[in-house]
Amino acid sequence: MSSQHQYVTITHYKEREFYFLNYAIQTREGFIPKEIEQFHESDKSKFIERIRTIQSQYPNNQIVSISLMAKQSISQSEDRNRASAEIFKNNYVIQENIDVGDIPTTLYFSPFAILYQQYKEGLTDELKLLIGYFDRKLFMMFATSDKIHQSWIIGTRGLTEKQIAERVYKSMQAYYKISYSFADHLEMLVSDDSPKLLKVLREELSLHITLTQNSIHNLLHRMASSDEKAKSSFIKSYKKIEYIIHTEASSTAKGEEGSPNRYERVRVADENLEDIKLQDQKSKGIIEKIKDLFRSSPAEMDSKTSFASLLPLILVLGMGGFFSMKNGTISNELMKKKVQITAQQNNLKLATISENIFHAMGKNAELKKATISTKGVDIRGLVWGIEPLKNSLNELYAEGKFVIKPLENFMTEFTFTSK
Amino acid sequence: MNKLKSIAPMTKLWFVISLLVLLVWVIPTMVSYYKNQKSYHQKVELLDSLDHRAGAQLEAKPFHSEVFRLDAENYFDKVEVTSIENDAYRVLIYLDKSKIDTFHTFLKDLSLNYAVSLKDEILYEEKNSTLTVTMILKPLS
């Protein structure tokens, strides 16, 4: 069977400073895990590169991880503002955000979701305490078949097994406000080998604890093995997980890659999120292609962030520049209007004075020369009606100096100067 | 508060600088712009009230000596425009003294039709019924 058609689950998580990576071939009869690989956090790029390599080798895949955040809780309603996953009807696990960073992930499970999947078959009307021990944290919940009543998380780093057991006991009382003994049964799922803790818990709580031990990788492979389980992921998968019976071969041997009697996933149109991304790229329109030019890889996010921090300053400078330019233009126009108004008012005054002077002279005089300004007038001419002219001019300029001078040709010259 | 603390120092610094620029430069410029805009509209209204021209109310056109001369000769017998010192022009208008009212109308519309200011002094001289009006015009920049 070609690796192109094999359904593979790639699992990863981070514990302390190490990334752990594994992948498994999924078959109808179970999954066949490969060797676990370990990367130091300083080799993150190699770790991501390795995921990409497995992906290219097995295009039909899901990349699965676990959220080990200490702030997760179970709620009876979905919170659309935060990352939420439906564990079962009206029971949601909620956390602040999906913190996978730039590591490829298509399914992302809460330990609570894993815990529920592990024990859901055994849930009845009797109250059970389910405890999951992941990454030195205890994920605990009281559950019956219809409801998860309460959930909480206890950190165990630096505590002895006895102290952990005491905290489990106290928190049971505090969270549920009843004695732990009201829990009819305790189930515990541990992701690493800790027999001492189990022993102490059994002693301290004086209860029989059913233990299931499995690795995080195996739990995740199982969670991604079917749609029914996968739908409790924080990241919503858009594809359906299905199996078909491969009929060409008869061997029932389980395990080896390429084994002929393997059940494999049907390649439906939207097999996995990564495939969807690839197909989307193929069918992208011009607009999307243009948008791609401006998209950047996660490695470029830092420079984007610094640019984003400059954005307010750029906006402020842009706004300032715009208003400065507009203000310069309007100031210039305003100045022109002011000068024009002053000139126009001055012209109107001069025209009025001139009109008045000519009107005052009328038929009583004839102008020879005149200087007219808004400050005063100086007129010289010939006069025939001395008194009417004098009176008219004095009406305009009360303190004006009116002088007449007889000429040799029996005519009379007048001068008038305003003060 | 924790979110604020988690913001990078450079981001905070840019934000503070942005705020300072906004307060010290942008907002005063905006206020000045809107004040000037209001004042401009008031001046336009004032100028409209001074404008008694008949027909289309055209914007004052830039002063050009030859264009001005040709325009003015449509109303008067002869017009001479001479460039003098300080970017000014001496304008001599020759007209029949009976047409003095035409000159007064011309004078009233002068700064509405042309972007010019008139020196506050007009000289009239009359010889043989022809009135010579001398005035100094200065184009508005």
Side-chain angles (χ1 to χ4, degrees), chain A residues 10-23 35-41 43-44 47-48 50-51 54 63-66 68 103-104 135 192 215-217 220-221:
Chain A
I10 304 163
T11 57
H12 66 78
Y13 66 94
K14 191 182 180 191
E15 205 172 86
R16 275 149 276 181
E17 71 271 30
F18 290 100
Y19 292 106
F20 295 92
L21 178 67
N22 185 226
Y23 72 98
E35 271 185 26
I36 296 172
E37 296 168 69
Q38 184 177 329
F39 298 84
H40 190 262
E41 62 184 3
D43 292 329
K44 189 179 174 184
F47 164 64
I48 293 173
R50 178 66 183 136
I51 294 175
I54 300 168
I63 308 169
V64 197
S65 189
I66 186 170
L68 295 169
I103 301 166
D135 187 28
D192 58 5
S215 75
I216 289 179
H217 287 300
L220 291 176
H221 288 310

Side-chain angles (χ1 to χ4, degrees), chain A residues 309-310 312-313 316-317 319-321 323-324 326-327 330-331 333-334 336-341 343-348 350-352 354-355 358 366-375, chain B residues 11 14 17-18 21-22 25-26 29-30 32-34 36-37 39-40 43-44 46-47 50 59-60 97 100 104 107-108 110-112 116-118 120-126 131 140-141:
Chain A
S309 68
L310 273 173
L313 183 62
V316 165
L317 289 175
M319 213 160 72
F323 278 103
S324 189
K326 295 279 280 180
N327 195 36
I330 198 88
S331 298
E333 290 297 315
L334 180 64
K336 280 182 184 173
K337 287 288 174 208
K338 279 181 181 173
V339 173
Q340 192 184 6
I341 287 168
Q344 179 59 18
Q345 284 172 333
N346 189 51
N347 295 353
L348 287 173
L350 276 172
T352 307
S354 182
E355 275 178 336
F358 278 92
E366 187 180 292
L367 184 76
K368 288 290 174 193
K369 194 173 182 179
T371 304
I372 295 171
S373 77
T374 55
K375 295 180 185 75
Chain B
T11 307
W14 287 126
I17 292 171
S18 305
V21 172
L22 187 75
W25 180 49
V26 180
T29 309
M30 279 173 71
S32 171
Y33 167 70
Y34 286 113
N36 282 337
Q37 196 183 42
S39 183
Y40 176 79
K43 297 295 175 196
V44 169
L46 177 60
L47 198 60
L50 297 173
E59 282 284 302
K97 67 175 181 183
I100 189 68
H104 287 142
L107 188 59
K108 284 176 188 172
L110 183 64
S111 291
L112 295 172
V116 287
S117 64
L118 173 64
D120 184 20
E121 191 176 84
I122 300 174
L123 181 66
Y124 294 93
E125 278 184 287
E126 189 188 319
L131 198 61
L140 301 176
S141 53

